[in-house]
Amino acid sequence: MAKAALSVLLLLLSFTSETLLMVNGQKTWCVARPSSDQATLLSNLNYACAHVDCQILRKGCPCSSPDNLMNRASIAMNMYFQSKGKNQWNCDFRGSALIVVTDPSYGDCIYA
């Protein structure tokens, strides 16, 4: 029931022009939609990294592993989203992204 209410709240928030800083007091992150194809993920990665510093994705850095496009795109998209003020339109990427309330950080790779 709580998940359904949260989904409805996220949907309603997506139609507002307000800044999405928190959902019910929770921090938010932007990640790639799991159904996104490889070309879209690559486009999102390139776009985000043209606007934010993606050094954290370089080999040997905390977020370089696992080295797959879904992971790399999600990290870059989230950095873009965070740096642009967490507006819902900064986590759209032509419908290929999701705003989540579960911290996607793992190991030493911390999503800001």
Side-chain angles (χ1 to χ4, degrees):
M1 185 69 145
K3 261 188 167 177
L6 182 57
S7 295
V8 170
L9 178 60
L10 282 174
L11 181 61
L12 291 173
L13 286 173
S14 70
F15 292 111
T16 69
S17 61
E18 296 178 18
T19 301
L20 182 62
L21 294 176
M22 294 189 166
V23 176
N24 286 339
Q26 294 180 308
K27 194 169 176 187
T28 55
W29 295 268
C30 178
V31 297
R33 187 177 296 273
S35 60
S36 299
D37 61 54
Q38 297 292 298
T40 299
L41 293 173
L42 183 58
S43 176
N44 293 349
L45 175 64
N46 289 336
Y47 179 82
C49 288
H51 296 277
V52 297
D53 181 4
C54 288
Q55 293 282 341
I56 196 166
L57 297 174
R58 288 197 147 170
K59 191 171 188 159
C61 290
C63 297
S64 64
S65 179
D67 186 13
N68 64 61
L69 205 46
M70 178 66 69
N71 182 58
R72 297 170 69 77
S74 289
I75 293 165
M77 292 160 67
N78 183 64
M79 288 190 306
Y80 179 85
F81 172 68
Q82 301 294 330
S83 74
K84 297 298 180 184
K86 298 184 185 180
N87 301 298
Q88 94 273 349
W89 55 84
N90 297 125
C91 184
D92 181 55
F93 293 89
R94 296 185 179 177
S96 63
L98 298 169
I99 294 175
V100 298
V101 295
T102 302
D103 186 352
S105 299
Y106 59 92
D108 291 332
C109 181
I110 307 302
Y111 278 60

mmCIF file of all heavy atoms in Angstrom, residues 3-51:
data_model
loop_
_atom_site.group_PDB
_atom_site.id
_atom_site.type_symbol
_atom_site.label_atom_id
_atom_site.label_comp_id
_atom_site.label_asym_id
_atom_site.label_seq_id
_atom_site.Cartn_x
_atom_site.Cartn_y
_atom_site.Cartn_z
ATOM 1 N N LYS A 3 3.913 1.529 -1.099
ATOM 2 C CA LYS A 3 4.577 1.637 -2.394
ATOM 3 C C LYS A 3 3.648 2.254 -3.427
ATOM 4 O O LYS A 3 4.057 3.069 -4.237
ATOM 5 C CB LYS A 3 5.028 0.261 -2.881
ATOM 6 C CG LYS A 3 6.446 -0.036 -2.628
ATOM 7 C CD LYS A 3 6.846 -1.312 -3.309
ATOM 8 C CE LYS A 3 8.341 -1.433 -3.300
ATOM 9 N NZ LYS A 3 8.804 -2.656 -3.874
ATOM 10 N N ALA A 4 2.387 1.845 -3.404
ATOM 11 C CA ALA A 4 1.411 2.395 -4.352
ATOM 12 C C ALA A 4 1.210 3.886 -4.106
ATOM 13 O O ALA A 4 1.145 4.678 -5.048
ATOM 14 C CB ALA A 4 0.087 1.645 -4.237
ATOM 15 N N ALA A 5 1.125 4.262 -2.841
ATOM 16 C CA ALA A 5 0.949 5.680 -2.504
ATOM 17 C C ALA A 5 2.158 6.491 -2.948
ATOM 18 O O ALA A 5 2.027 7.587 -3.480
ATOM 19 C CB ALA A 5 0.715 5.842 -1.003
ATOM 20 N N LEU A 6 3.356 5.927 -2.764
ATOM 21 C CA LEU A 6 4.572 6.605 -3.182
ATOM 22 C C LEU A 6 4.612 6.742 -4.704
ATOM 23 O O LEU A 6 4.984 7.788 -5.235
ATOM 24 C CB LEU A 6 5.803 5.862 -2.685
ATOM 25 C CG LEU A 6 7.147 6.490 -3.017
ATOM 26 C CD1 LEU A 6 7.236 7.918 -2.471
ATOM 27 C CD2 LEU A 6 8.264 5.656 -2.458
ATOM 28 N N SER A 7 4.204 5.717 -5.409
ATOM 29 C CA SER A 7 4.175 5.772 -6.873
ATOM 30 C C SER A 7 3.222 6.852 -7.357
ATOM 31 O O SER A 7 3.533 7.598 -8.288
ATOM 32 C CB SER A 7 3.746 4.415 -7.452
ATOM 33 O OG SER A 7 4.698 3.445 -7.159
ATOM 34 N N VAL A 8 2.074 6.948 -6.725
ATOM 35 C CA VAL A 8 1.100 7.982 -7.087
ATOM 36 C C VAL A 8 1.680 9.360 -6.791
ATOM 37 O O VAL A 8 1.561 10.283 -7.604
ATOM 38 C CB VAL A 8 -0.237 7.772 -6.347
ATOM 39 C CG1 VAL A 8 -1.156 8.966 -6.525
ATOM 40 C CG2 VAL A 8 -0.909 6.502 -6.838
ATOM 41 N N LEU A 9 2.352 9.493 -5.648
ATOM 42 C CA LEU A 9 2.953 10.766 -5.289
ATOM 43 C C LEU A 9 4.026 11.157 -6.307
ATOM 44 O O LEU A 9 4.078 12.296 -6.748
ATOM 45 C CB LEU A 9 3.562 10.702 -3.886
ATOM 46 C CG LEU A 9 4.266 11.969 -3.407
ATOM 47 C CD1 LEU A 9 3.303 13.157 -3.377
ATOM 48 C CD2 LEU A 9 4.868 11.751 -2.041
ATOM 49 N N LEU A 10 4.880 10.208 -6.692
ATOM 50 C CA LEU A 10 5.900 10.499 -7.698
ATOM 51 C C LEU A 10 5.272 10.908 -9.020
ATOM 52 O O LEU A 10 5.745 11.822 -9.691
ATOM 53 C CB LEU A 10 6.816 9.296 -7.906
ATOM 54 C CG LEU A 10 7.877 9.088 -6.846
ATOM 55 C CD1 LEU A 10 8.615 7.780 -7.082
ATOM 56 C CD2 LEU A 10 8.844 10.233 -6.796
ATOM 57 N N LEU A 11 4.204 10.248 -9.400
ATOM 58 C CA LEU A 11 3.513 10.591 -10.636
ATOM 59 C C LEU A 11 2.948 12.002 -10.566
ATOM 60 O O LEU A 11 3.091 12.786 -11.495
ATOM 61 C CB LEU A 11 2.390 9.584 -10.912
ATOM 62 C CG LEU A 11 1.599 9.801 -12.193
ATOM 63 C CD1 LEU A 11 2.508 9.698 -13.405
ATOM 64 C CD2 LEU A 11 0.473 8.803 -12.292
ATOM 65 N N LEU A 12 2.320 12.332 -9.450
ATOM 66 C CA LEU A 12 1.766 13.671 -9.287
ATOM 67 C C LEU A 12 2.860 14.725 -9.295
ATOM 68 O O LEU A 12 2.709 15.784 -9.903
ATOM 69 C CB LEU A 12 0.955 13.766 -7.990
ATOM 70 C CG LEU A 12 -0.358 12.986 -7.964
ATOM 71 C CD1 LEU A 12 -0.972 13.035 -6.578
ATOM 72 C CD2 LEU A 12 -1.325 13.517 -9.000
ATOM 73 N N LEU A 13 3.975 14.426 -8.637
ATOM 74 C CA LEU A 13 5.075 15.377 -8.613
ATOM 75 C C LEU A 13 5.670 15.586 -9.992
ATOM 76 O O LEU A 13 6.183 16.655 -10.307
ATOM 77 C CB LEU A 13 6.156 14.915 -7.639
ATOM 78 C CG LEU A 13 5.828 15.077 -6.163
ATOM 79 C CD1 LEU A 13 6.907 14.420 -5.321
ATOM 80 C CD2 LEU A 13 5.672 16.535 -5.792
ATOM 81 N N SER A 14 5.606 14.570 -10.834
ATOM 82 C CA SER A 14 6.182 14.707 -12.164
ATOM 83 C C SER A 14 5.406 15.697 -13.023
ATOM 84 O O SER A 14 5.900 16.166 -14.029
ATOM 85 C CB SER A 14 6.264 13.347 -12.855
ATOM 86 O OG SER A 14 4.972 12.893 -13.194
ATOM 87 N N PHE A 15 4.191 16.021 -12.630
ATOM 88 C CA PHE A 15 3.389 16.964 -13.390
ATOM 89 C C PHE A 15 3.477 18.384 -12.845
ATOM 90 O O PHE A 15 2.862 19.289 -13.365
ATOM 91 C CB PHE A 15 1.916 16.527 -13.414
ATOM 92 C CG PHE A 15 1.702 15.271 -14.204
ATOM 93 C CD1 PHE A 15 1.347 14.099 -13.577
ATOM 94 C CD2 PHE A 15 1.895 15.256 -15.577
ATOM 95 C CE1 PHE A 15 1.157 12.940 -14.292
ATOM 96 C CE2 PHE A 15 1.713 14.099 -16.307
ATOM 97 C CZ PHE A 15 1.347 12.938 -15.661
ATOM 98 N N THR A 16 4.263 18.576 -11.799
ATOM 99 C CA THR A 16 4.402 19.917 -11.240
ATOM 100 C C THR A 16 5.676 20.545 -11.769
ATOM 101 O O THR A 16 6.550 19.876 -12.288
ATOM 102 C CB THR A 16 4.472 19.880 -9.694
ATOM 103 O OG1 THR A 16 5.703 19.291 -9.317
ATOM 104 C CG2 THR A 16 3.288 19.154 -9.099
ATOM 105 N N SER A 17 5.774 21.838 -11.612
ATOM 106 C CA SER A 17 6.993 22.523 -12.039
ATOM 107 C C SER A 17 7.875 22.872 -10.843
ATOM 108 O O SER A 17 8.821 23.617 -10.969
ATOM 109 C CB SER A 17 6.629 23.793 -12.809
ATOM 110 O OG SER A 17 5.903 24.662 -11.979
ATOM 111 N N GLU A 18 7.562 22.322 -9.698
ATOM 112 C CA GLU A 18 8.342 22.607 -8.508
ATOM 113 C C GLU A 18 9.612 21.772 -8.491
ATOM 114 O O GLU A 18 9.706 20.736 -9.108
ATOM 115 C CB GLU A 18 7.519 22.282 -7.249
ATOM 116 C CG GLU A 18 6.297 23.164 -7.104
ATOM 117 C CD GLU A 18 5.479 22.794 -5.884
ATOM 118 O OE1 GLU A 18 5.999 22.120 -4.990
ATOM 119 O OE2 GLU A 18 4.317 23.184 -5.851
ATOM 120 N N THR A 19 10.589 22.234 -7.733
ATOM 121 C CA THR A 19 11.826 21.493 -7.567
ATOM 122 C C THR A 19 11.557 20.262 -6.716
ATOM 123 O O THR A 19 10.934 20.337 -5.674
ATOM 124 C CB THR A 19 12.888 22.378 -6.882
ATOM 125 O OG1 THR A 19 13.087 23.528 -7.690
ATOM 126 C CG2 THR A 19 14.188 21.633 -6.697
ATOM 127 N N LEU A 20 12.057 19.123 -7.178
ATOM 128 C CA LEU A 20 11.875 17.876 -6.451
ATOM 129 C C LEU A 20 13.105 17.630 -5.595
ATOM 130 O O LEU A 20 14.086 17.085 -6.045
ATOM 131 C CB LEU A 20 11.681 16.726 -7.441
ATOM 132 C CG LEU A 20 11.426 15.347 -6.854
ATOM 133 C CD1 LEU A 20 10.133 15.356 -6.049
ATOM 134 C CD2 LEU A 20 11.355 14.308 -7.937
ATOM 135 N N LEU A 21 13.087 18.122 -4.371
ATOM 136 C CA LEU A 21 14.215 17.943 -3.480
ATOM 137 C C LEU A 21 14.078 16.676 -2.653
ATOM 138 O O LEU A 21 15.018 15.946 -2.474
ATOM 139 C CB LEU A 21 14.354 19.145 -2.544
ATOM 140 C CG LEU A 21 14.718 20.455 -3.224
ATOM 141 C CD1 LEU A 21 14.719 21.585 -2.214
ATOM 142 C CD2 LEU A 21 16.059 20.342 -3.899
ATOM 143 N N MET A 22 12.890 16.435 -2.171
ATOM 144 C CA MET A 22 12.652 15.261 -1.353
ATOM 145 C C MET A 22 11.231 14.769 -1.586
ATOM 146 O O MET A 22 10.356 15.545 -1.946
ATOM 147 C CB MET A 22 12.840 15.573 0.127
ATOM 148 C CG MET A 22 14.228 15.923 0.507
ATOM 149 S SD MET A 22 14.349 15.992 2.292
ATOM 150 C CE MET A 22 16.113 15.984 2.485
ATOM 151 N N VAL A 23 11.024 13.500 -1.389
ATOM 152 C CA VAL A 23 9.704 12.907 -1.472
ATOM 153 C C VAL A 23 9.393 12.377 -0.087
ATOM 154 O O VAL A 23 10.085 11.496 0.409
ATOM 155 C CB VAL A 23 9.670 11.759 -2.510
ATOM 156 C CG1 VAL A 23 8.326 11.081 -2.512
ATOM 157 C CG2 VAL A 23 10.004 12.291 -3.894
ATOM 158 N N ASN A 24 8.372 12.937 0.535
ATOM 159 C CA ASN A 24 8.029 12.558 1.908
ATOM 160 C C ASN A 24 9.240 12.612 2.829
ATOM 161 O O ASN A 24 9.461 11.725 3.637
ATOM 162 C CB ASN A 24 7.406 11.153 1.943
ATOM 163 C CG ASN A 24 6.002 11.145 1.407
ATOM 164 O OD1 ASN A 24 5.335 12.167 1.361
ATOM 165 N ND2 ASN A 24 5.538 9.990 0.986
ATOM 166 N N GLY A 25 10.059 13.644 2.677
ATOM 167 C CA GLY A 25 11.230 13.800 3.529
ATOM 168 C C GLY A 25 12.400 12.918 3.164
ATOM 169 O O GLY A 25 13.394 12.889 3.872
ATOM 170 N N GLN A 26 12.312 12.192 2.053
ATOM 171 C CA GLN A 26 13.392 11.302 1.642
ATOM 172 C C GLN A 26 14.215 11.946 0.532
ATOM 173 O O GLN A 26 13.692 12.663 -0.305
ATOM 174 C CB GLN A 26 12.834 9.970 1.143
ATOM 175 C CG GLN A 26 12.157 9.157 2.224
ATOM 176 C CD GLN A 26 11.620 7.859 1.659
ATOM 177 O OE1 GLN A 26 10.904 7.871 0.672
ATOM 178 N NE2 GLN A 26 11.976 6.762 2.288
ATOM 179 N N LYS A 27 15.493 11.650 0.513
ATOM 180 C CA LYS A 27 16.370 12.117 -0.543
ATOM 181 C C LYS A 27 16.018 11.385 -1.837
ATOM 182 O O LYS A 27 15.493 10.278 -1.808
ATOM 183 C CB LYS A 27 17.816 11.834 -0.149
ATOM 184 C CG LYS A 27 18.815 12.558 -0.986
ATOM 185 C CD LYS A 27 20.198 12.463 -0.408
ATOM 186 C CE LYS A 27 21.153 13.148 -1.373
ATOM 187 N NZ LYS A 27 22.531 12.983 -1.012
ATOM 188 N N THR A 28 16.315 12.009 -2.982
ATOM 189 C CA THR A 28 16.005 11.394 -4.276
ATOM 190 C C THR A 28 17.255 11.290 -5.139
ATOM 191 O O THR A 28 18.192 12.079 -5.002
ATOM 192 C CB THR A 28 14.937 12.211 -5.033
ATOM 193 O OG1 THR A 28 15.371 13.565 -5.157
ATOM 194 C CG2 THR A 28 13.607 12.162 -4.308
ATOM 195 N N TRP A 29 17.242 10.306 -6.029
ATOM 196 C CA TRP A 29 18.319 10.074 -6.982
ATOM 197 C C TRP A 29 17.707 9.814 -8.342
ATOM 198 O O TRP A 29 16.543 9.429 -8.451
ATOM 199 C CB TRP A 29 19.147 8.850 -6.571
ATOM 200 C CG TRP A 29 19.873 9.004 -5.284
ATOM 201 C CD1 TRP A 29 21.152 9.452 -5.106
ATOM 202 C CD2 TRP A 29 19.371 8.714 -3.970
ATOM 203 N NE1 TRP A 29 21.467 9.460 -3.771
ATOM 204 C CE2 TRP A 29 20.397 9.003 -3.053
ATOM 205 C CE3 TRP A 29 18.161 8.227 -3.483
ATOM 206 C CZ2 TRP A 29 20.251 8.839 -1.689
ATOM 207 C CZ3 TRP A 29 18.008 8.064 -2.117
ATOM 208 C CH2 TRP A 29 19.047 8.365 -1.227
ATOM 209 N N CYS A 30 18.500 9.976 -9.372
ATOM 210 C CA CYS A 30 18.067 9.728 -10.749
ATOM 211 C C CYS A 30 18.871 8.553 -11.297
ATOM 212 O O CYS A 30 20.106 8.556 -11.220
ATOM 213 C CB CYS A 30 18.318 10.983 -11.595
ATOM 214 S SG CYS A 30 17.884 10.821 -13.332
ATOM 215 N N VAL A 31 18.191 7.567 -11.820
ATOM 216 C CA VAL A 31 18.858 6.396 -12.401
ATOM 217 C C VAL A 31 18.242 6.061 -13.756
ATOM 218 O O VAL A 31 17.125 6.472 -14.063
ATOM 219 C CB VAL A 31 18.772 5.164 -11.474
ATOM 220 C CG1 VAL A 31 19.501 5.415 -10.158
ATOM 221 C CG2 VAL A 31 17.340 4.752 -11.220
ATOM 222 N N ALA A 32 18.966 5.304 -14.534
ATOM 223 C CA ALA A 32 18.476 4.879 -15.841
ATOM 224 C C ALA A 32 17.328 3.890 -15.672
ATOM 225 O O ALA A 32 17.366 3.020 -14.795
ATOM 226 C CB ALA A 32 19.604 4.236 -16.642
ATOM 227 N N ARG A 33 16.330 4.040 -16.505
ATOM 228 C CA ARG A 33 15.205 3.107 -16.519
ATOM 229 C C ARG A 33 15.732 1.753 -17.009
ATOM 230 O O ARG A 33 16.401 1.684 -18.041
ATOM 231 C CB ARG A 33 14.119 3.634 -17.449
ATOM 232 C CG ARG A 33 12.828 2.853 -17.417
ATOM 233 C CD ARG A 33 11.776 3.492 -18.331
ATOM 234 N NE ARG A 33 11.392 4.821 -17.887
ATOM 235 C CZ ARG A 33 10.429 5.066 -16.991
ATOM 236 N NH1 ARG A 33 9.761 4.066 -16.453
ATOM 237 N NH2 ARG A 33 10.141 6.310 -16.644
ATOM 238 N N PRO A 34 15.449 0.665 -16.288
ATOM 239 C CA PRO A 34 15.982 -0.653 -16.661
ATOM 240 C C PRO A 34 15.637 -1.097 -18.087
ATOM 241 O O PRO A 34 16.385 -1.867 -18.689
ATOM 242 C CB PRO A 34 15.344 -1.605 -15.632
ATOM 243 C CG PRO A 34 15.086 -0.734 -14.451
ATOM 244 C CD PRO A 34 14.719 0.613 -15.016
ATOM 245 N N SER A 35 14.563 -0.583 -18.641
ATOM 246 C CA SER A 35 14.167 -0.984 -19.996
ATOM 247 C C SER A 35 14.863 -0.181 -21.093
ATOM 248 O O SER A 35 14.631 -0.414 -22.278
ATOM 249 C CB SER A 35 12.645 -0.840 -20.150
ATOM 250 O OG SER A 35 12.263 0.511 -19.938
ATOM 251 N N SER A 36 15.753 0.732 -20.719
ATOM 252 C CA SER A 36 16.449 1.566 -21.705
ATOM 253 C C SER A 36 17.390 0.725 -22.561
ATOM 254 O O SER A 36 18.087 -0.157 -22.056
ATOM 255 C CB SER A 36 17.257 2.654 -21.003
ATOM 256 O OG SER A 36 16.424 3.495 -20.257
ATOM 257 N N ASP A 37 17.415 1.032 -23.861
ATOM 258 C CA ASP A 37 18.316 0.294 -24.749
ATOM 259 C C ASP A 37 19.724 0.892 -24.680
ATOM 260 O O ASP A 37 19.940 1.976 -24.143
ATOM 261 C CB ASP A 37 17.790 0.279 -26.184
ATOM 262 C CG ASP A 37 17.650 1.668 -26.782
ATOM 263 O OD1 ASP A 37 18.641 2.424 -26.765
ATOM 264 O OD2 ASP A 37 16.555 1.989 -27.267
ATOM 265 N N GLN A 38 20.683 0.168 -25.213
ATOM 266 C CA GLN A 38 22.092 0.554 -25.133
ATOM 267 C C GLN A 38 22.376 1.901 -25.798
ATOM 268 O O GLN A 38 23.143 2.705 -25.273
ATOM 269 C CB GLN A 38 22.974 -0.545 -25.764
ATOM 270 C CG GLN A 38 22.888 -1.883 -25.044
ATOM 271 C CD GLN A 38 23.512 -1.835 -23.666
ATOM 272 O OE1 GLN A 38 24.704 -1.593 -23.526
ATOM 273 N NE2 GLN A 38 22.720 -2.062 -22.623
ATOM 274 N N ALA A 39 21.753 2.159 -26.939
ATOM 275 C CA ALA A 39 21.968 3.433 -27.638
ATOM 276 C C ALA A 39 21.493 4.608 -26.794
ATOM 277 O O ALA A 39 22.159 5.650 -26.717
ATOM 278 C CB ALA A 39 21.261 3.420 -28.992
ATOM 279 N N THR A 40 20.354 4.445 -26.138
ATOM 280 C CA THR A 40 19.816 5.502 -25.275
ATOM 281 C C THR A 40 20.723 5.718 -24.078
ATOM 282 O O THR A 40 21.008 6.864 -23.702
ATOM 283 C CB THR A 40 18.388 5.150 -24.820
ATOM 284 O OG1 THR A 40 17.564 5.027 -25.976
ATOM 285 C CG2 THR A 40 17.819 6.181 -23.880
ATOM 286 N N LEU A 41 21.184 4.636 -23.468
ATOM 287 C CA LEU A 41 22.084 4.752 -22.319
ATOM 288 C C LEU A 41 23.372 5.469 -22.706
ATOM 289 O O LEU A 41 23.842 6.344 -21.979
ATOM 290 C CB LEU A 41 22.398 3.370 -21.746
ATOM 291 C CG LEU A 41 21.238 2.632 -21.088
ATOM 292 C CD1 LEU A 41 21.658 1.213 -20.736
ATOM 293 C CD2 LEU A 41 20.738 3.376 -19.861
ATOM 294 N N LEU A 42 23.921 5.133 -23.862
ATOM 295 C CA LEU A 42 25.140 5.775 -24.320
ATOM 296 C C LEU A 42 24.907 7.264 -24.580
ATOM 297 O O LEU A 42 25.724 8.108 -24.198
ATOM 298 C CB LEU A 42 25.667 5.091 -25.578
ATOM 299 C CG LEU A 42 26.988 5.621 -26.116
ATOM 300 C CD1 LEU A 42 28.090 5.521 -25.065
ATOM 301 C CD2 LEU A 42 27.377 4.870 -27.379
ATOM 302 N N SER A 43 23.782 7.590 -25.180
ATOM 303 C CA SER A 43 23.433 8.984 -25.428
ATOM 304 C C SER A 43 23.298 9.748 -24.108
ATOM 305 O O SER A 43 23.793 10.873 -23.968
ATOM 306 C CB SER A 43 22.137 9.059 -26.228
ATOM 307 O OG SER A 43 21.725 10.385 -26.394
ATOM 308 N N ASN A 44 22.634 9.143 -23.124
ATOM 309 C CA ASN A 44 22.465 9.771 -21.808
ATOM 310 C C ASN A 44 23.813 9.974 -21.116
ATOM 311 O O ASN A 44 24.057 11.025 -20.507
ATOM 312 C CB ASN A 44 21.550 8.936 -20.918
ATOM 313 C CG ASN A 44 20.131 8.899 -21.409
ATOM 314 O OD1 ASN A 44 19.738 9.650 -22.299
ATOM 315 N ND2 ASN A 44 19.333 8.009 -20.851
ATOM 316 N N LEU A 45 24.666 8.970 -21.189
ATOM 317 C CA LEU A 45 25.997 9.052 -20.587
ATOM 318 C C LEU A 45 26.788 10.201 -21.214
ATOM 319 O O LEU A 45 27.365 11.034 -20.504
ATOM 320 C CB LEU A 45 26.739 7.720 -20.777
ATOM 321 C CG LEU A 45 28.189 7.657 -20.316
ATOM 322 C CD1 LEU A 45 28.307 7.851 -18.815
ATOM 323 C CD2 LEU A 45 28.800 6.336 -20.735
ATOM 324 N N ASN A 46 26.781 10.267 -22.532
ATOM 325 C CA ASN A 46 27.515 11.326 -23.228
ATOM 326 C C ASN A 46 26.951 12.707 -22.907
ATOM 327 O O ASN A 46 27.707 13.655 -22.678
ATOM 328 C CB ASN A 46 27.509 11.082 -24.737
ATOM 329 C CG ASN A 46 28.370 9.906 -25.126
ATOM 330 O OD1 ASN A 46 29.301 9.540 -24.415
ATOM 331 N ND2 ASN A 46 28.057 9.294 -26.244
ATOM 332 N N TYR A 47 25.633 12.823 -22.875
ATOM 333 C CA TYR A 47 25.004 14.111 -22.576
ATOM 334 C C TYR A 47 25.355 14.560 -21.158
ATOM 335 O O TYR A 47 25.794 15.691 -20.938
ATOM 336 C CB TYR A 47 23.484 14.026 -22.737
ATOM 337 C CG TYR A 47 22.799 15.325 -22.405
ATOM 338 C CD1 TYR A 47 22.734 16.350 -23.349
ATOM 339 C CD2 TYR A 47 22.259 15.548 -21.139
ATOM 340 C CE1 TYR A 47 22.134 17.564 -23.040
ATOM 341 C CE2 TYR A 47 21.658 16.756 -20.828
ATOM 342 C CZ TYR A 47 21.593 17.757 -21.779
ATOM 343 O OH TYR A 47 21.008 18.965 -21.463
ATOM 344 N N ALA A 48 25.151 13.680 -20.185
ATOM 345 C CA ALA A 48 25.405 14.037 -18.790
ATOM 346 C C ALA A 48 26.877 14.397 -18.585
ATOM 347 O O ALA A 48 27.191 15.408 -17.942
ATOM 348 C CB ALA A 48 24.995 12.897 -17.864
ATOM 349 N N CYS A 49 27.777 13.609 -19.155
ATOM 350 C CA CYS A 49 29.211 13.854 -18.955
ATOM 351 C C CYS A 49 29.707 15.091 -19.699
ATOM 352 O O CYS A 49 30.779 15.607 -19.386
ATOM 353 C CB CYS A 49 30.016 12.622 -19.346
ATOM 354 S SG CYS A 49 29.833 11.265 -18.157
ATOM 355 N N ALA A 50 28.915 15.587 -20.641
ATOM 356 C CA ALA A 50 29.260 16.852 -21.296
ATOM 357 C C ALA A 50 28.943 18.035 -20.387
ATOM 358 O O ALA A 50 29.424 19.146 -20.619
ATOM 359 C CB ALA A 50 28.497 16.984 -22.612
ATOM 360 N N HIS A 51 28.141 17.777 -19.343
ATOM 361 C CA HIS A 51 27.704 18.853 -18.445
ATOM 362 C C HIS A 51 28.226 18.726 -17.018
ATOM 363 O O HIS A 51 28.141 19.684 -16.248
ATOM 364 C CB HIS A 51 26.168 18.911 -18.415
ATOM 365 C CG HIS A 51 25.584 19.267 -19.740
ATOM 366 N ND1 HIS A 51 25.472 20.563 -20.180
ATOM 367 C CD2 HIS A 51 25.109 18.486 -20.734
ATOM 368 C CE1 HIS A 51 24.936 20.573 -21.388
ATOM 369 N NE2 HIS A 51 24.711 19.327 -21.752
#
